[in-house]
């Protein structure tokens, strides 16, 4: 019966959407009606309102919808969605300030003489507007009103002209900053959490281990990661559009003839081009550049973009020449001044100690006040220019409200979908498909593409993604990243603006196009561009590095980059380091021998042991590396014959688990039925279904090859051996380098340790002249001072014994002085060898450290070098099959 009400839910939603009922009410309305009907039917026919729910009841699932409603507004940590109104405001403000008009006219004049140049200029302007406005309707309408008449006057093919404008206008959905990417990031963050829980449960069930290695876990997707991941695919799409137009213009010149420019390409024209291009390019650099370089979060970049759009509108809408650019110039100089002040002064108000600090805070306050004045000046200009500011704020509020209301409705729809077992149904359907992950992924992409013919991008993002994304992300065979999945879905969703009959870009252009342009020409024109979007989808699918590289590189080279010891980056890091050992083994061994040859006879016994142990473990590194190669080779050889068996058995076990779940569902439904005559047939059917599923599982378990019981333990043994060899290597190199770090620290503290000698020596007179409490306090102070130094625990211990000798009834000043004397002897010896080591050993240690820090000592460095981080990022950008671990 759950399937019946699941069908009713889907039918209600489709009917409401097709009839033109607002999406914001169609989604939650369908959910509430379907849940209500299921509860009513259960109460009437089974005397139990919960009877026709997969689990729980109507109250729980309606409460889940309300909980999702509250979380959107009251969970302040879901800050991803805060960026939505900021970018919407930026886009609408730039559109109303006629930046698009300036860009289109200038770019058309610049590229006109090139074959297909006018079409190419439309694509380039569409890309620029996508990176600034990101609003499809505004971009398509603006380019349709400005470019389409010019293209028609110059004998452009109607289909090519309209297709170019529609396709270029949709670039804002994939080129960041994009509202679609922000919504997808929000949806995928929760999907990644669900997928992580699913993968951990599977790992625990299969291996019996409660803790899954973090390298096998699924990382979430932030809006910033989505922006960076979509950047290269967005540029790829722009390149495909341009190549298509250029190829068409060359093959069929009559479709896109070149257009001569009547003016001169002189200095005045160059100034015109720069004035049209530099402001939006600067805004793109500030907004996207700050995100890509890790300087700002997405929300901060959105706020900067909104302010930048206000400044641009301030001079663009101001028609009088006098002081037209003053607010923008003042803002630029204020930002430059703030950058200089931050770089040269400490602006922490809580730590103002010097006149320089006070000067820095004062200058920072003045620069900030000047910047605020420039922003306010621009805002006043926009406010006084007709109703621009009022319209922009109104449109921003309406668009933001629409997005949030749809998100709430989708959350309630998802709850209802899960209430009737829809999520389990989709999961079972996808996982039962032949071909594994890639068949599942292909089916999902086809469904999303087909839905794009009828639904809006937001509806697809918030309804489909929460259902299918956890299933796809949890699959270990492809081991895809959430960012890659989000960008692939974003590219697919982008086609929804072009696919008839409900492609919004088609409607936008139809509304402003001349009557000479037939609707069929618009439909024909977008077909090649839909094909190009699908081609970009295929390319991005085959080359995941196009998506994953930038987020990884930004993360690993940022100020908050993880240290090389981070478990998630170990596989790729060791791949680079092991190849380095192969090339530098001779030089590394020579460096170890050189360090061992340095005279260490004067070192303390503790220091000597540390040095010898460190050098010994450094020599063992190459043995450990050979162990990794050997265990990896053994595992790889065995996997070649084991892999097919593994997948065969895991498929059987997956079917068995699915059948057990279906059997449990049948038992649950059986318990809900009352012992009345009307339910006798239903009970008999459920009991027979349970028996059939049990018999099927017995048959499936019997079909597991007998070799599985032999092969699986061998694989587990080899797999553990490979992990152990890597752990042994990591522990060995860490201990090898820790000794060098510790010894260098001891030596660098030589001078400051020598300064404590007089204070420690004075403790003898303190013991003689002070009472017990005073002497103990003086010794305690020196104990604390000794705690600041490394390698002096034995000296500190003697001082502690001296202090205890003066305590209470054990008061024995002679014994205390004896311990103090021993401490002084040890301190003197410690200072002597450390001072000698400063000149005799420290240079050698520095040279040895430099020789091994990028190999043996790499894991204990604070961060990777940029070159190494770049290489590791490229390695991590590829998806690696980890299914044999499950």
């Amino acid at each position: 019966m759950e399937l019946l009400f699941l069908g009713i839910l889907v039918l209600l939603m489709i009917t409401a959407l097709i009839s033109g009922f607002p999406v914001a009410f169609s989604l939650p309305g369908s959910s509430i009606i379907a849940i209500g009907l299921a509860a009513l039917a259960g109460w009437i026919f089974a005397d139990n309102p919960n009877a026709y729910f997969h689990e729980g009841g109507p109250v729980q699932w309606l409460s889940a919808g309300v909980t999702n409603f509250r979380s959107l507004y009251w969970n302040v940590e879901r800050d991803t969605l805060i960026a939505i109104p900021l970018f919407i405001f930026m886009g609408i403000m730039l559109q109303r300030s006629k930046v698009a008009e300036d860009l289109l006219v200038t770019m058309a004049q610049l590229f006109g003489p090139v074959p297909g140049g006018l079409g190419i200029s439309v694509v380039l302007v569409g890309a620029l507007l996508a990176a600034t406005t990101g609003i499809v309707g505004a971009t398509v309408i603006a380019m349709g009103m400005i470019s389409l008449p010019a293209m028609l006057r110059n004998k452009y093919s109607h289909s090519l002209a309209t297709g170019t404008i529609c396709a270029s206008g949709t670039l804002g959905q994939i080129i960041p900053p994009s509202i679609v990417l922000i919504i997808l990031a929000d949806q995928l963050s929760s999907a990644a959490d669900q997928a992580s829980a699913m993968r951990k449960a599977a790992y625990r069930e299969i291996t019996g281990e409660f803790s899954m290695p973090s390298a096998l876990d699924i990382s979430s997707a932030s809006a910033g990661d989505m922006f960076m991941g979509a950047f290269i695919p967005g540029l790829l799409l722009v390149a495909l559009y341009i190549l298509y137009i250029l190829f068409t213009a060359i093959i069929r010149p009559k479709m896109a003839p070149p257009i001569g420019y009547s003016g001169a390409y002189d200095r005045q024209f160059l100034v015109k081009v720069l004035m049209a291009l530099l402001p939006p390019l600067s805004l793109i650099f500030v907004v996207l550049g700050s995100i890509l370089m890790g300087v700002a979060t997405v929300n901060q970049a959105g706020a900067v973009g909104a302010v930048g759009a206000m400044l641009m509108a301030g001079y663009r809408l101001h028609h009088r020449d006098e002081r037209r650019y003053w607010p923008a110039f003042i803002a630029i100089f204020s930002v430059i001044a703030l950058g200089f002040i931050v770089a040269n002064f400490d602006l922490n108000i809580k730590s103002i100690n010097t006149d320089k600090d006070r000067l820095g805070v004062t200058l920072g306050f003045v620069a900030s006040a000047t910047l605020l004045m420039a922003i306010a000046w621009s805002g006043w200009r926009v406010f006084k220019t007709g109703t621009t500011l009022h319209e922009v704020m109104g449109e921003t509020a309406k668009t933001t409200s629409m997005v949030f209301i749809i998100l709430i409705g989708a959350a309630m729809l998802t709850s209802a979908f899960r209430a009737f077992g829809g999520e389990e149904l989709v999961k079972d359907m996808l996982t039962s498909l032949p071909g594994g992950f890639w068949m599942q992924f292909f089916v999902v992409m086809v469904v999303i593409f087909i839905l794009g013919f009828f639904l809006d991008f937001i509806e697809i993002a918030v309804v489909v993604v929460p259902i299918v994304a956890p299933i796809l992300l949890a699959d270990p065979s492809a081991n895809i990243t959430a960012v890659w999945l989000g960008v692939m879905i974003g590219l697919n969703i982008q086609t929804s603006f072009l696919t008839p009959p409900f492609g919004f870009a088609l409607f936008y252009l139809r509304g402003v196009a001349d009557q000479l342009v037939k609707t069929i020409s618009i439909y024909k024109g977008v077909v090649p561009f839909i094909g190009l979007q699908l081609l970009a989808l295929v390319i991005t699918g085959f080359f995941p590095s196009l998506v994953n590289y930038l987020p990884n590189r930004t993360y690993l080279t940022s100020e908050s980059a993880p240290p090389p010891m981070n478990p998630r980056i170990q596989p790729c890091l060791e791949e680079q380091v092991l190849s380095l050992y192969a090339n530098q083994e001779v030089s590394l061994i020579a460096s170890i021998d050189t360090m061992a040859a340095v005279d260490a006879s004067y070192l303390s016994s503790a220091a000597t042991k540390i040095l010898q142990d460190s050098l010994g473990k450094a020599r063992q590194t190459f043995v450990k590396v050979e162990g990794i190669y050997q265990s990896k080779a053994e595992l790889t050889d065995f996997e070649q014959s084991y892999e097919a068996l593994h997948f065969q058995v895991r498929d059987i076990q997956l079917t068995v688990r699915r059948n057990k779940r279906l059997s449990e569902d049948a038992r649950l439904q059986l318990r809900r039925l009352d012992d009345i005559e009307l339910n006798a047939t239903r009970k008999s059917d459920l009991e027979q279904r349970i028996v059939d599923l049990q018999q099927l599982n017995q048959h499936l378990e019997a079909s597991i090859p007998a070799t599985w019981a032999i092969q699986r333990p061998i694989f587990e043994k080899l797999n553990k051996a490979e992990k152990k060899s890597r752990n042994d290597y990591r522990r060995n190199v860490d201990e090898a380098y820790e000794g060098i770090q510790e010894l260098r620290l001891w030596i660098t503290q030589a001078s400051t340790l020598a300064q404590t000698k007089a204070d420690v020596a004075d403790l003898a007179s303190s013991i003689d002249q002070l009472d017990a409490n005073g002497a103990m306090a003086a010794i305690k102070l020196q104990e604390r001072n000794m705690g600041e130094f490394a390698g002096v625990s034995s000296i500190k211990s003697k001082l502690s014994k001296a202090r205890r000798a003066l305590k209470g009834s054990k008061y024995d000043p002679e014994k205390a002085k004896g311990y103090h004397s021993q401490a002084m002897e040890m301190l003197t010896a410690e200072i002597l060898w450390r001072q000698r080591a400063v000149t005799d050993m420290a240079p050698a240690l520095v040279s040895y450290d430099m020789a091994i820090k990028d190999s043996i000592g790499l894991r204990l460095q604070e961060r990777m070098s940029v070159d190494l981080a770049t290489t590791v990022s490229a390695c991590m950008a590829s998806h690696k099959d980890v299914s044999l671990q499950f």
Side-chain angles (χ1 to χ4, degrees):
M1 290 297 288
E2 291 94 337
L3 295 180
L4 172 63
F5 290 103
L6 181 63
I8 291 173
L9 171 67
V10 175
L11 183 63
L12 284 171
M13 180 186 68
I14 293 175
T15 303
L17 292 174
I18 291 177
S19 64
F21 203 69
V23 178
F25 303 110
S26 298
L27 302 184
S30 304
S31 309
I32 294 171
I33 293 173
I35 290 175
L37 288 175
L40 179 63
W43 180 61
I44 293 174
F45 298 109
D47 198 26
N48 182 4
N50 302 344
Y52 300 135
F53 289 88
H54 181 64
E55 59 182 31
V59 176
Q60 291 91 328
W61 289 109
L62 288 174
S63 299
V66 174
T67 302
N68 290 332
F69 171 87
R70 291 180 69 251
S71 69
L72 282 173
Y73 284 97
W74 295 104
N75 189 352
V76 295
E77 294 188 3
R78 287 189 65 171
D79 60 351
T80 302
L81 300 178
I82 296 175
I84 290 178
L86 297 172
F87 285 118
I88 290 175
F89 176 89
M90 181 181 77
I92 297 175
M93 180 62 76
L94 288 174
Q95 187 266 330
R96 295 298 175 91
S97 63
K98 300 181 180 180
V99 171
E101 182 178 339
D102 294 344
L103 277 172
L104 281 168
V105 172
T106 306
M107 297 295 281
Q109 294 172 347
L110 183 63
F111 288 95
V114 179
L118 191 53
I120 293 173
S121 69
V122 170
V123 174
L124 292 174
V125 171
L128 290 173
L129 293 178
T132 51
T133 65
I135 300 175
V136 172
T139 305
V140 172
I141 291 172
M143 292 196 296
M145 295 177 65
I146 301 168
S147 291
L148 185 57
M151 298 174 86
L152 296 179
R153 282 197 308 269
N154 289 280
K155 309 301 182 183
Y156 262 66
S157 163
H158 289 193
S159 59
L160 179 62
T162 54
T164 301
I165 292 173
C166 289
S168 301
T170 64
L171 288 171
Q173 297 306 294
I174 196 63
I175 294 179
S178 164
I179 304 303
V180 176
L181 296 178
I182 296 175
I183 295 173
L184 284 172
D186 180 69
Q187 298 295 317
L188 285 169
S189 62
S190 57
D193 293 338
Q194 295 178 47
S196 177
M198 292 165 60
R199 186 175 284 191
K200 288 175 181 176
Y203 187 83
R204 183 168 57 250
E205 182 178 357
I206 291 169
T207 65
E209 299 179 11
F210 286 93
S211 134
M212 184 179 72
S214 59
L216 300 179
D217 205 353
I218 300 163
S219 58
S220 187
S222 67
D225 290 337
M226 290 294 293
F227 282 4
M228 288 179 282
F231 189 73
I232 295 177
L235 295 181
L236 171 66
L237 201 54
V238 172
L240 290 175
Y241 287 176
I242 292 175
L243 289 175
Y244 168 71
I245 295 170
L246 188 60
F247 179 79
T248 302
I250 294 173
I251 300 299
R252 301 179 65 183
K254 291 184 179 180
M255 291 187 68
I259 304 166
Y261 175 51
S262 57
Y265 290 103
D266 53 12
R267 182 177 179 180
Q268 185 177 359
F269 179 76
L270 176 61
V271 172
K272 181 182 178 181
V273 171
L274 292 177
M275 290 303 296
L277 283 177
L278 283 181
L281 286 176
S282 300
L283 189 62
I284 293 169
F285 174 78
V286 171
V287 175
L288 293 184
S290 60
I291 298 173
L292 294 175
M293 293 186 294
V295 176
T297 65
V298 173
N299 296 335
Q300 293 166 346
V304 171
V307 170
M310 180 85 76
L311 290 170
M312 290 173 63
Y315 70 76
R316 180 61 183 82
L317 297 175
H318 188 71
H319 300 294
R320 290 174 295 179
D321 290 334
E322 65 273 11
R323 296 181 295 182
R324 180 179 184 179
Y325 296 100
W326 280 26
F329 288 147
I330 292 173
I332 292 171
F333 288 137
S334 299
V335 170
I336 294 173
L338 279 172
F340 175 80
I341 294 167
V342 169
N344 292 276
F345 294 92
D346 183 6
L347 300 184
N348 189 346
I349 299 177
K350 294 182 179 180
S351 61
I352 298 178
N353 298 316
T354 64
D355 291 337
K356 181 180 179 182
D357 295 338
R358 296 185 186 90
L359 176 62
V361 171
T362 302
L363 292 175
F365 176 79
V366 172
S368 300
T370 307
L371 177 60
L372 290 175
M373 182 195 73
I375 296 170
W377 192 353
S378 293
W380 177 254
R381 282 183 172 181
V382 177
F383 176 72
K384 296 297 288 183
T385 305
T387 59
T388 302
L389 186 59
H390 181 272
E391 292 174 356
V392 170
M393 296 295 288
E395 287 295 322
T396 300
K398 285 192 291 185
T399 306
T400 304
S401 301
M402 177 198 71
V403 171
F404 273 80
I405 291 174
I406 292 176
L407 286 173
I408 294 166
M412 297 192 71
L413 181 71
T414 303
S415 295
F417 192 79
R418 289 171 177 161
F420 301 121
E423 188 175 42
E424 292 294 334
L425 182 67
V426 172
K427 181 179 179 181
D428 291 341
M429 183 198 72
L430 288 177
T431 53
S432 63
L433 290 172
F437 168 84
W438 291 108
M439 178 57 71
Q440 299 170 22
F441 178 72
F442 177 76
V443 169
V444 169
M445 288 291 107
V446 170
V447 169
I448 291 176
F449 179 73
I450 294 173
L451 289 175
F453 283 79
F454 310 101
L455 299 180
D456 183 40
F457 71 95
I458 296 180
E459 299 156 30
I460 299 173
V462 300
V463 173
V464 178
V465 172
I467 297 171
V468 301
I471 301 169
L472 296 176
L473 289 173
D475 193 306
S477 62
N479 197 30
I480 61 173
T481 63
V483 175
W484 179 82
L485 179 61
V487 172
M488 292 294 288
I489 293 174
L491 280 169
N492 199 344
I493 288 176
Q494 187 181 351
T495 61
S496 67
F497 282 92
L498 299 180
T499 48
F502 300 120
F504 287 99
L506 311 180
F507 293 143
Y508 294 142
L509 185 60
R510 177 68 276 175
V512 297
D514 191 279
Q515 293 300 319
L516 293 174
V517 179
K518 304 299 182 183
T519 302
I520 191 65
S521 297
I522 300 178
Y523 283 5
K524 286 171 57 180
V526 297
V527 170
F529 291 95
I530 294 173
L532 292 174
Q533 289 178 340
L534 295 178
L535 176 60
L537 190 68
V538 171
I539 294 173
T540 307
F542 275 104
F543 300 99
S545 299
L546 296 175
V547 175
N548 294 327
Y549 174 72
L550 265 185
N552 288 335
R553 190 182 190 281
T554 303
Y555 174 55
L556 295 179
T557 57
S558 67
E559 291 296 326
S560 58
M565 190 178 281
N566 186 283
R568 293 188 66 86
I569 66 176
Q570 289 309 299
C572 285
L573 184 69
E574 286 176 1
E575 184 178 317
Q576 304 304 315
V577 176
L578 293 182
S579 63
L580 185 145
Y581 286 131
N583 298 325
Q584 299 184 9
E585 181 176 353
V586 174
S587 61
L588 287 172
I589 291 176
S591 298
I592 297 171
D593 292 340
T594 300
M595 187 66 230
V598 175
D599 180 18
S601 59
Y602 55 88
L603 300 184
S604 67
S605 58
T608 301
K609 185 176 186 308
I610 288 175
L611 180 60
Q612 290 175 348
D613 288 348
S614 175
L615 294 175
K617 290 185 179 298
R619 295 183 192 279
Q620 282 292 312
T621 298
F622 307 101
V623 177
K624 302 296 182 182
V625 169
E626 187 59 35
I628 292 177
Y629 281 129
Q630 182 177 349
S631 60
K632 184 178 179 180
E634 292 175 355
L635 179 62
T636 303
D637 290 342
F638 182 78
E639 283 178 348
Q640 293 177 358
S641 59
Y642 168 78
E643 190 173 28
L645 175 65
H646 178 91
F647 292 138
Q648 178 188 356
V649 174
R650 289 306 187 216
D651 285 343
I652 295 173
Q653 293 174 339
L654 178 64
T655 305
V656 169
R657 289 197 299 271
R658 184 164 57 245
N659 290 340
K660 287 181 178 179
R661 192 164 56 247
L662 293 174
S663 180
E664 288 299 323
D665 291 344
R667 286 192 177 90
L668 177 63
Q669 295 177 42
L670 195 60
R671 287 195 297 270
R672 288 173 175 172
L673 294 176
D674 292 331
D675 295 327
I676 58 178
E677 190 66 27
L678 291 174
N679 290 329
T681 304
R682 175 66 174 159
K683 285 182 178 179
S684 176
D685 292 342
L686 289 172
E687 289 171 350
Q688 185 61 44
R689 178 169 175 76
I690 293 171
V691 172
D692 291 343
L693 287 171
Q694 288 175 341
Q695 292 177 349
L696 179 59
N697 276 354
Q698 291 174 359
H699 173 73
L700 287 171
E701 289 173 345
S703 68
I704 295 177
T707 54
W708 172 252
I710 301 172
Q711 298 288 319
R712 180 63 187 179
I714 297 176
F715 171 78
E716 290 177 346
K717 180 181 178 181
L718 293 175
N719 192 41
K720 288 180 180 179
E722 200 265 349
K723 290 180 179 178
K724 183 178 182 301
S725 66
R726 291 186 180 275
N727 290 331
D728 288 346
Y729 159 77
R730 294 167 189 170
R731 184 166 52 252
N732 181 80
V733 293
D734 289 349
E735 292 174 356
Y737 193 68
E738 280 173 350
I740 298 301
Q741 286 183 313
E742 189 173 2
L743 197 56
R744 287 191 63 188
L745 177 62
W746 288 15
I747 295 173
T748 55
Q749 291 179 340
S751 60
T752 51
L753 182 63
Q755 295 172 7
T756 65
K757 184 176 181 180
D759 294 332
V760 175
D762 290 342
L763 291 178
S765 59
S766 298
I767 295 173
D768 288 332
Q769 298 173 9
L770 300 178
D771 59 12
N773 291 333
M776 285 193 296
I779 296 173
K780 184 68 174 178
L781 176 62
Q782 294 309 316
E783 284 183 67
R784 284 199 296 268
N785 290 342
M786 284 294 129
E788 298 177 1
F789 297 94
V792 294
S793 57
S794 58
I795 301 172
K796 185 180 176 182
S797 176
K798 293 297 181 183
L799 292 177
S800 180
K801 290 180 179 180
R803 176 173 53 81
R804 288 197 296 270
L806 301 175
K807 189 175 182 179
S809 60
K810 297 180 180 180
Y811 181 75
D812 188 345
E814 292 302 321
K815 187 176 181 181
K817 286 194 287 185
Y819 283 129
H820 171 260
S821 177
Q822 294 175 24
M824 278 301 299
E825 291 177 4
M826 296 169 68
L827 178 60
T828 301
E830 191 74 21
I831 293 171
L832 284 174
W833 82 256
R834 292 193 187 198
Q835 288 178 333
R836 179 178 175 183
V838 169
T839 55
D840 292 357
M841 180 167 285
L845 280 173
V846 171
S847 299
Y848 178 59
D849 191 345
M850 294 296 293
I852 69 170
K853 72 172 186 174
D854 292 328
S855 52
I856 296 174
L858 178 60
R859 279 171 45 86
L860 295 185
Q861 302 302 316
E862 291 185 3
R863 58 189 301 117
M864 293 181 286
S865 66
V866 174
D867 290 340
L868 181 59
T870 302
T871 306
V872 172
S873 300
C875 171
M876 293 176 64
S878 301
H879 298 149
K880 295 174 177 60
D881 184 355
V882 295
S883 56
L884 291 181
Q885 304 298 324
F886 290 84

